[in-house]
Amino acid sequence: MPPSNDLKDGGELRIIGFLCNWCSYSGADAAGVARLEQPTDLRIIRTPCTGRIDPLFILRALINGADGVLVSGCHPGDCHYVEGNFHARRRLETLKRILPISGIDPERFKYTWVSASESGRWQETVREFTAKIHALGPAPRMTDVVSRSKDLSLEGLLLQDENGGA
Amino acid sequence: MHIGVFVCHCGSNISGTVDCPQTAKAAGEFPDVVYSTDEMYTCSEPGQESIIRAIKEHNLDGVVVASCSPRMHEATFRRTVERAGLNPYMFEMANIREHVSWVGRDKALNTRKAIDLIGMAVAKLRNGTPLFSERFNVTRKLMVIGGGVAGIQAALDAADSGIEVVLVERETTIGGKMAKLDKTFPTIDCSSCVLGPKMVEVAQHPKITLYAASEVDNVSGYVGNFTVQVRKRAVYVDWDACTGCGLCTEKCPSRKTPDPFNELIATTTAINIPFPQAIPKKATINPDYCLQLTKGKCGVCAKVCPVGCIDFEQQDKIEEVQVGAIVVATGYDLFDYSVYKQYGAGKLPDVITSLQYERLLNASGPTGGHVLRPSDGAEPKHVVFIQCVGSRDKSKGRAYCSSFCCMYTAKQAILTKSHLPDSQSYVFYMDIRSPGKGYDEFTRRTQELYGAQYIRGRVSSIHQHGSSLVVRGADTLAGMQVEIKADLVVLAVGIEPSRNSQKLAATLHISADTDGFFMEGHPKLKPVETNTAGVFLAGCCQGPRDIPTSVSMGSAAAAKAMVLFSNEQLESDPQVATVNATRCVGCYKCVKTCPFGAILESEDRWKNPKAEVLPTICKGCGICSVTCPHGAIQLNHFTDNQLLAEVNAICPLPTI
Amino acid sequence: MNVLETMKKCIREALPDLDMVMGWEQGFDTLHATPLFMETAEDVDRLILGPTCVQSLAVHLPSLKGKKIGVVVKGCDSRAVVQLLSENLLNRENLVIFGFGCDGVVSLSRLKKKLGALDFIESAEKKDDRLCIEINGEQQDLPFDDICAPKCLTCSRPNAIISDHFAGPQRTPRIPAKGKTALEKFEEKSLPERFDFWKAQMQRCVRCYACRDSCPMCVCRDHCVAVSRNPHFVSQEATASENFMFQLIHVMHLAGRCVSCGECERACPMDIPLGLLRAKSTEVTSALFNQEAGLDQEAVLPLLSFNIEEETIEEHD
């Protein structure tokens, strides 16, 4: 395996970005052209549109142990495909609000809008989100050993037995 | 698979902060990578040749180039691998310049990130499939939106090459802002003498159809085959019959109609022809001021019209036009300077905009070319010009330079002197920007030959004092306050995108920058293209431009359209959605979400409901893909598995 | 005529025009019902209606599209039918719906917890608000609320909301008991506690897909992404993370579509409280889109539509 596999060596965390090609990916390019320095944790996946971003990709990343997922696209109303980010907004908001039930910190997932000309805003977004993820620390993994506290015993879990249905 | 990875140094652009040899070595460890190397300039000819050589020598069936943004060179390298016999879609780029070397300082971390990005590209490539374009016919007809000088140039160049052109103009005449100007810099030649013949040529050109007083309502389709709905506004005159004799305008009793052609410093009649050289030279009724249309009684024009072309019942008409390409040349409007309280907030009659001043200077203007100030019609003696009103002013949300105001102000100062030899001009400026051919000499001439006094500094207040204006400001070079008693103040008001251009951007699916100007495809390499294939830009709609540049852009946009039309057929982008009919259950959820109507409710041969994609209409957004719960509709080149592979490459699937 | 006889009469009358009518019959004992597929008048004799008719028969409908089918539905089952109709997955003209007012159904897992193994059931019968069971030779008389399906305790729609024939009287909806719902109680836990909870649960999950197969809204059937390689969202390894991924796929695919029938949780052989995930999803989509699934045949799925200005979504900077 390549040496980059354990990111934590360099003090970095695993942050995945899903960016639409037309606005945010361009904006990130423009930030590069302007040499706007950013933390190095983020790895960007290019998609044609935020409308292409399946919430399941984000869940897959988080369950695989990503410490943060950042989605960015065109501002609502400016979508290259007219409606893509309107659909994305509903899907991503739904995901963000459902996440807490899974125990995955919704703060680890952010979606935002950055246009092709907003290179400075992109730099800010990356800096802020990376700082937030570092403040949260590495994400708990499904593979970590479960602490067998009393609260987790099966008796405590069958909530519906007491006061009504789930 | 046999994958080759090419890591680009980009001179020192990448290798300065990324260890390229180590990156290439690490890339060799990824699955299916059989060859990896680093190159000084991968996009150069030797760089591309080395890719072709490696493909042949190592029998590669997939290539990853780690260099700049795919938005920069993806097309270049796709052609490269195609030359070596590979399918162009068996190629991926890792963006290790814009997203790595240019934004990260730490070389070790950058190198690690570069390796990761290559790992993602390799993973995506391993899940890729060759894609093939479809060919489709092209409608060899060009639409130009906006009949200013840029649009006129684009229309004429395209028409002269034999292409049918449809020119759509919102106003009742073409000519745009240039038609209002008196003289042009730096030659002081008459604007209408330069533009007039071109306007006539548009009117007479057998290949050009002109839709004046018309706007684009809706655009559908795709490059080569756009369907445009043009709304022909009601002008209450049958233009096919109108001869432009002007009898109606002489008799019209409604003489207090605001005259937008004269920048509202004069009035006109409710039925009018904007100016004598107007193209088309047809009368138009302003329905807000026409007595017949507002009060129901008058009809004088109808009585005097010798051809009986007045039609008070006329309605807007929508016409559908098929075109293969569109040039957008919608130009600019002036910034609303009334937000500047210190300049009188638009309330002082003798504080006027530069365009209003052009009309005062113009022989065909309301004063017949005599410079007479609006308040009392007196000849001004002291004229103050203020630059950068709504330009380079962050506090007013206008951070950009409007680019041509320095030059026209110099021109107006010269013209003031030639119209009024006893006058004295003062120019308050921030910097003099005169980078064109003969431009700097011109501004020097204004000062040295015509005696205009240039004062570097901002004006803090203008107030009325008797019949004159007191202009207070700073002279930052002399380090003192100055006060000038002026008879007329001309504001070099900054420009902004033409009104409604935001709506047009949405209609055309093109984007605009933060200032509202349309975005070019690439700031350097695609200045007249947009991100939507077949839509090109010319003139000030893309950013502030002077006349020569607008004309060049018009020609450039026409040339781009000609290149497009030189093909009998075009190749479709194969990065479109495809339906896996075995998996499709025919719920048509994808049909409901497709913004382009590119998915049909179809059936297979056993009459089972199945979705079907029209590949030429599909624009490749992928909304449908996420809609489908069973993954039956996939976007080529951005399939679920390709994107999941990228996710899994950075965050490997956890194992127990 | 009682409800059952009325229902049988309705079905017998309609049957000649139909390929089949789905209902329930007694299973291997009086506590277990099993789906009954009625093709002849004699089949109709075996029909039962009562607290053991737990399965939602709507689950079979999409795969029978094209046939003329009749289906017997409780209130909760009828919402699934409405939702399937709204998603163009059923043809209304090929469907005859036999509705009735449901009096609540038993939860075998709750019963098992009260009584231990449910091996030798002599009889089981609901009398008013109690369930009388003769088990292992002993007579048990239990308050129905203690052993009914959790969803019945808060049931607001006991009567079929869509039907061509409705047998028997309308039932009055339950007024939910005061106190916290299971979801509210669960949400008192911290995020790490919740994560550990699911980790433990997902280690128990055996990926039998009973939750999916019993779900009337899971219409992908043979093409479920949980078992496909293209797309390959989830591997076949039965690890906690892959099981959780599968469960969350199910949640996301049901967002705005879940009709809260509780079949997933009922079908789970490991008693994993999947209802928590569903309840949260329903809470979220109702709050965001002001829309509940399975109530309006004409409704458009919230995740297939949008508003240019979303009042409920804060603009993300």
Side-chain angles (χ1 to χ4, degrees):
Chain A
M1 275 307 233
S4 65
N5 211 25
D6 192 359
L7 287 170
K8 280 170 201 151
D9 276 359
E12 284 188 327
L13 294 174
R14 288 165 207 262
I15 305 178
I16 302 188
F18 290 94
L19 271 62
C20 87
N21 180 47
W22 304 101
C23 290
S24 296
Y25 196 92
S26 282
D29 278 358
V33 173
R35 312 295 199 275
L36 302 179
E37 199 195 338
Q38 298 154 35
T40 50
D41 311 46
L42 179 72
R43 308 283 186 265
I44 292 170
I45 295 176
R46 182 167 71 128
T47 65
C49 177
T50 44
R52 174 65 193 96
I53 300 166
D54 198 318
L56 301 182
F57 298 152
I58 295 154
L59 281 170
R60 185 72 264 181
L62 291 169
I63 287 179
N64 282 11
D67 300 307
V69 177
L70 175 63
V71 171
S72 184
C74 310
H75 290 273
D78 286 344
C79 178
H80 182 70
Y81 303 101
V82 195
E83 295 177 354
N85 52 10
F86 291 138
H87 286 286
R89 184 169 55 184
R90 283 200 162 192
R91 295 165 179 164
L92 298 172
E93 184 68 20
T94 303
L95 172 69
K96 192 164 172 76
R97 294 199 193 189
I98 288 178
L99 270 185
I101 195 74
S102 71
I104 296 170
D105 194 335
E107 294 290 302
R108 293 189 183 277
F109 162 54
K110 176 187 169 83
Y111 72 95
T112 187
W113 320 115
V114 174
S115 80
S117 56
E118 293 174 320
S119 50
R121 183 183 161 88
W122 175 249
Q123 178 193 33
E124 272 312 294
T125 303
V126 175
R127 283 185 169 172
E128 274 171 25
F129 189 67
T130 309
K132 183 195 268 175
I133 297 304
H134 277 270
L136 291 172
R141 308 284 193 97
M142 268 278 148
T143 43
D144 296 341
V145 181
V146 186
S147 55
R148 288 267 169 202
S149 67
K150 185 171 169 278
D151 196 35
L152 291 171
S153 68
L154 195 57
E155 285 312 304
L157 304 180
L158 290 172
L159 302 141
Q160 74 268 40
D161 254 14
E162 280 130 59
N163 253 328
Chain B
M1 272 187 88
H2 296 89
I3 295 174
V5 178
F6 301 83
V7 181
C8 184
H9 289 236
C10 195
S12 63
N13 277 308
I14 293 170
S15 60
T17 54
V18 172
D19 186 337
C20 294
Q22 196 206 321
T23 304
K25 191 159 165 279
E29 303 289 316
F30 287 118
D32 287 348
V33 175
V34 295
Y35 178 75
S36 69
T37 185
D38 52 313
E39 296 271 350
M40 190 46 101
Y41 286 105
T42 316
C43 62
S44 68
E45 213 223 323
Q48 294 192 38
E49 283 309 314
S50 80
I51 295 177
I52 293 175
R53 222 171 24 247
I55 291 174
K56 294 189 173 145
E57 275 172 24
H58 300 275
N59 200 18
L60 303 178
D61 51 9
V63 167
V64 170
V65 170
S67 58
C68 49
S69 169
R71 294 180 55 81
M72 179 92 184
H73 272 323
E74 189 172 56
T76 313
F77 290 121
R78 275 187 181 158
R79 282 194 298 271
T80 310
V81 301
E82 200 174 16
R83 284 213 303 279
L86 250 61
N87 183 284
Y89 295 91
M90 295 310 282
F91 165 79
E92 289 295 336
M93 267 180 107
N95 184 348
I96 63 168
R97 192 178 76 175
E98 281 84 345
H99 291 186
V100 181
S101 72
W102 280 352
V103 293
R105 284 262 171 83
D106 186 312
K107 194 161 184 172
L109 293 178
N110 278 354
T111 304
R112 184 168 286 195
K113 184 173 176 185
I115 295 168
D116 270 359
L117 294 188
I118 294 170
M120 289 157 69
V122 169
K124 188 180 175 208
L125 182 58
R126 293 178 73 217
N127 283 277
T129 45
L131 300 175
F132 302 94
S133 305
E134 289 190 24
R135 303 188 70 83
F136 58 89
N137 291 329
V138 178
T139 310
R140 296 186 77 243
K141 197 170 188 181
L142 174 69
M143 172 168 284
V144 178
I145 306 174
V149 67
I152 288 174
Q153 186 67 33
L156 287 174
D157 282 352
D160 285 345
S161 80
I163 296 168
E164 291 277 342
V165 177
V166 177
L167 177 58
V168 180
E169 168 59 52
R170 177 170 59 196
E171 307 302 331
T172 55
T173 174
I174 59 168
K177 297 287 187 291
M178 190 177 168
K180 301 183 179 191
L181 306 183
D182 179 35
K183 304 282 194 304
T184 57
F185 61 79
T187 45
I188 312 284
D189 46 354
C190 155
S191 185
S192 62
C193 312
V194 182
L195 184 67
K198 279 189 179 291
M199 290 167 62
V200 174
E201 217 182 313
V202 167
Q204 295 175 344
H205 206 296
K207 293 278 185 190
I208 299 179
T209 315
L210 175 60
Y211 288 73
S214 301
E215 282 175 74
V216 168
D217 256 18
N218 193 29
V219 178
S220 58
Y222 48 94
V223 58
N225 294 283
F226 292 106
T227 302
V228 186
Q229 283 180 339
V230 179
R231 174 183 294 272
K232 293 177 114 174
R233 273 202 322 272
V235 292
Y236 308 101
V237 175
D238 175 5
W239 276 7
D240 291 335
C242 177
T243 59
C245 68
L247 219 57
C248 51
T249 65
E250 282 166 30
K251 303 288 182 205
C252 176
S254 179
R255 300 193 160 268
K256 286 268 161 66
T257 309
D259 185 358
F261 186 78
N262 278 318
E263 292 290 312
L264 309 178
I265 54 171
T267 55
T268 179
T269 45
I271 186 161
N272 66 75
I273 298 171
F275 64 111
Q277 297 85 8
I279 299 284
K281 197 175 179 193
K282 307 285 180 189
T284 307
I285 294 179
N286 181 337
D288 299 334
Y289 290 86
C290 170
L291 297 173
Q292 180 68 35
L293 289 169
T294 53
K295 303 216 166 73
K297 49 185 177 193
C298 176
V300 171
C301 48
K303 282 174 209 137
V304 301
C305 179
V307 291
C309 66
I310 308 295
D311 175 9
F312 293 115
E313 306 296 314
Q314 205 177 61
Q315 299 286 323
D316 287 9
K317 221 163 58 188
I318 308 270
E319 265 186 49
E320 217 169 74
V321 189
Q322 309 288 334
V323 296
I326 298 171
V327 171
V328 186
T330 48
Y332 69 90
D333 275 319
L334 290 187
F335 170 72
D336 176 10
Y337 79 91
S338 64
V339 296
Y340 283 96
K341 301 284 176 263
Q342 65 268 42
Y343 301 153
K347 299 230 168 63
L348 301 172
D350 291 333
V351 177
I352 61 173
T353 68
S354 44
L355 264 184
Q356 288 173 329
Y357 195 50
E358 289 289 340
R359 296 312 299 155
L360 288 183
L361 292 165
N362 198 310
S364 69
T367 55
H370 300 296
V371 179
L372 304 171
R373 64 183 198 176
S375 62
D376 55 4
E379 276 190 0
K381 204 166 161 50
H382 297 277
V383 181
V384 168
F385 294 90
I386 303 174
Q387 305 229 252
C388 300
V389 178
S391 297
R392 303 177 65 195
D393 188 349
K394 255 192 170 162
S395 71
K396 299 290 184 287
R398 289 291 187 280
Y400 56 91
C401 166
S402 292
S403 123
F404 48 77
C405 325
C406 287
M407 293 307 299
Y408 71 62
T409 300
K411 174 197 74 182
Q412 288 178 342
I414 289 179
L415 293 176
T416 307
K417 193 74 181 171
S418 32
H419 279 68
L420 309 164
D422 291 339
S423 68
Q424 173 62 50
S425 295
Y426 305 86
V427 179
F428 283 91
Y429 71 100
M430 283 165 71
D431 300 288
I432 301 175
R433 300 197 159 172
S434 52
K437 190 170 167 180
Y439 285 14
D440 204 54
E441 298 90 315
F442 183 77
T443 55
R444 288 200 171 276
R445 228 165 41 233
T446 309
Q447 298 170 57
E448 289 159 9
L449 228 60
Y450 293 86
Q453 203 178 324
Y454 269 64
I455 302 160
R456 189 181 191 280
R458 304 289 285 175
V459 168
S460 58
S461 79
I462 305 173
H463 61 268
Q464 192 82 38
H465 185 79
S467 69
S468 39
L469 298 159
V470 177
V471 179
R472 285 214 183 95
D475 182 336
T476 55
L477 293 181
M480 53 189 260
Q481 296 296 308
V482 286
E483 189 176 292
I484 296 164
K485 219 170 130 197
D487 304 306
L488 183 68
V489 175
V490 180
L491 305 178
V493 178
I495 71 159
E496 62 186 22
S498 177
R499 60 192 185 280
N500 281 341
S501 52
Q502 205 180 350
K503 191 171 147 259
L504 186 63
T507 309
L508 290 166
H509 304 160
I510 58 177
S511 36
D513 62 25
T514 29
D515 300 317
F517 293 106
F518 298 142
M519 281 279 280
E520 61 278 8
H522 186 277
K524 291 172 189 70
L525 301 180
K526 292 181 175 178
V528 298
E529 286 100 322
T530 64
N531 283 331
T532 300
V535 178
F536 307 106
L537 303 175
C540 284
C541 65
Q542 184 260 1
R545 299 274 177 248
D546 62 9
I547 293 168
T549 315
S550 295
V551 171
S552 315
M553 284 181 85
S555 289
K560 286 289 168 190
M562 289 178 222
V563 170
L564 191 71
F565 293 151
S566 69
N567 302 292
E568 280 293 312
Q569 287 190 310
L570 289 180
E571 284 197 347
S572 69
D573 186 343
Q575 298 176 92
V576 293
T578 45
V579 176
N580 178 345
T582 343
R583 296 184 71 84
C584 177
V585 300
C587 66
Y588 301 140
K589 289 187 172 101
C590 50
V591 178
K592 291 195 186 84
T593 52
C594 177
F596 308 103
I599 311 175
L600 295 183
E601 297 187 6
S602 187
E603 282 178 342
D604 65 10
R605 63 185 133 146
W606 298 280
K607 302 281 175 213
N608 293 314
K610 300 285 172 189
E612 182 192 340
V613 175
L614 300 170
T616 45
I617 297 183
C618 174
K619 294 200 192 294
C621 62
I623 296 173
C624 55
S625 225
V626 184
T627 308
C628 181
H630 32 285
I633 189 162
Q634 291 286 339
L635 178 62
N636 289 343
H637 209 63
F638 291 95
T639 62
D640 284 338
N641 276 4
Q642 283 179 296
L643 295 171
L644 283 167
E646 289 192 81
V647 171
N648 292 334
I650 330 170
C651 298
L653 280 167
T655 43
I656 312 172
Chain C
M1 241 191 306
N2 67 16
V3 183
L4 181 61
E5 291 311 315
T6 317
M7 182 66 90
K8 283 180 177 172
K9 184 166 169 282
C10 288
I11 294 174
R12 280 198 196 96
E13 281 167 11
L15 198 53
D17 296 328
L18 297 171
D19 291 322
M20 179 213 299
V21 175
M22 291 187 285
W24 302 269
E25 65 178 320
Q26 194 193 305
F28 58 88
D29 65 27
T30 49
L31 199 56
H32 293 80
T34 192
L36 168 66
F37 302 91
M38 296 167 270
E39 292 177 350
T40 63
E42 296 78 70
D43 293 340
V44 182
D45 295 340
R46 311 210 304 271
L47 181 74
I48 60 164
L49 291 177
T52 58
C53 301
V54 289
Q55 301 95 334
S56 171
L57 301 170
V59 74
H60 302 289
L61 290 173
S63 53
L64 296 167
K65 198 181 177 188
K67 290 207 161 75
K68 283 190 93 68
I69 299 291
V71 62
V72 184
V73 292
K74 310 185 284 288
C76 45
D77 308 340
S78 69
R79 285 183 63 190
V81 175
V82 170
Q83 186 62 24
L84 288 168
L85 284 167
S86 81
E87 294 185 27
N88 190 35
L89 292 158
L90 301 179
N91 289 333
R92 183 67 182 91
E93 59 268 29
N94 287 343
L95 193 63
V96 177
I97 303 163
F98 300 91
F100 68 104
C102 170
D103 224 3
V105 293
V106 295
S107 158
L108 291 178
S109 71
R110 290 179 86 193
L111 197 56
K112 198 191 266 172
K113 210 152 339 109
K114 282 259 188 277
L115 303 177
L118 302 173
D119 290 340
F120 301 100
I121 307 287
E122 301 294 330
S123 72
E125 194 185 353
K126 185 166 184 249
K127 286 178 180 155
D128 297 322
D129 54 357
R130 307 193 75 78
L131 187 75
C132 306
I133 294 192
E134 206 184 326
I135 177 167
N136 297 324
E138 269 178 59
Q139 187 69 35
Q140 294 277 357
D141 187 10
L142 301 163
F144 191 70
D145 281 4
D146 287 359
I147 50 85
C148 72
K151 64 178 176 181
C152 301
L153 291 169
T154 56
C155 181
S156 58
R157 291 183 184 83
N159 304 300
I161 61 168
I162 183 175
S163 61
D164 300 296
H165 306 279
F166 192 92
Q170 299 267 343
R171 303 283 178 182
T172 35
R174 286 286 292 247
I175 296 150
K178 287 214 177 77
K180 288 176 184 155
T181 64
L183 176 62
E184 282 164 343
K185 271 195 277 176
F186 183 72
E187 288 190 321
E188 286 168 1
K189 291 175 187 285
S190 70
L191 288 169
E193 281 171 342
R194 295 180 208 175
F195 193 74
D196 280 350
F197 171 85
W198 288 117
K199 206 184 316 184
Q201 292 300 313
M202 290 304 132
Q203 283 167 355
R204 299 175 55 243
C205 171
V206 293
R207 280 283 272 292
C208 64
Y209 297 127
C211 49
R212 177 194 71 183
D213 296 345
S214 62
C215 174
M217 301 322 301
C218 274
V219 293
C220 306
R221 304 290 144 185
D222 297 344
H223 303 303
C224 175
V225 294
V227 293
S228 84
R229 286 189 150 256
N230 187 12
H232 198 198
F233 278 100
V234 58
S235 85
Q236 296 307 299
E237 276 183 275
T239 58
S241 58
E242 292 309 279
N243 295 342
F244 200 32
M245 183 68 202
F246 162 68
Q247 291 299 348
L248 291 175
I249 289 175
H250 201 172
V251 173
M252 286 315 290
H253 280 178
L254 284 174
R257 303 174 63 233
C258 176
V259 293
S260 313
C261 67
E263 282 291 273
C264 46
E265 186 169 304
R266 175 192 67 78
C268 179
M270 304 305 290
D271 285 327
I272 295 172
L274 297 170
L276 286 173
L277 299 171
R278 305 289 177 274
K280 182 64 187 177
S281 155
T282 304
E283 179 193 283
V284 166
T285 52
S286 314
L288 276 175
F289 312 121
N290 192 24
Q291 193 174 330
E292 257 187 274
L295 300 180
D296 178 7
Q297 263 188 81
E298 305 304 318
V300 179
L301 282 180
L303 289 180
L304 295 188
S305 56
F306 61 85
N307 293 320
I308 289 173
E309 301 288 336
E310 299 279 9
E311 280 173 19
T312 49
I313 302 178
E314 227 179 284
E315 207 49 80
H316 282 238
D317 48 7

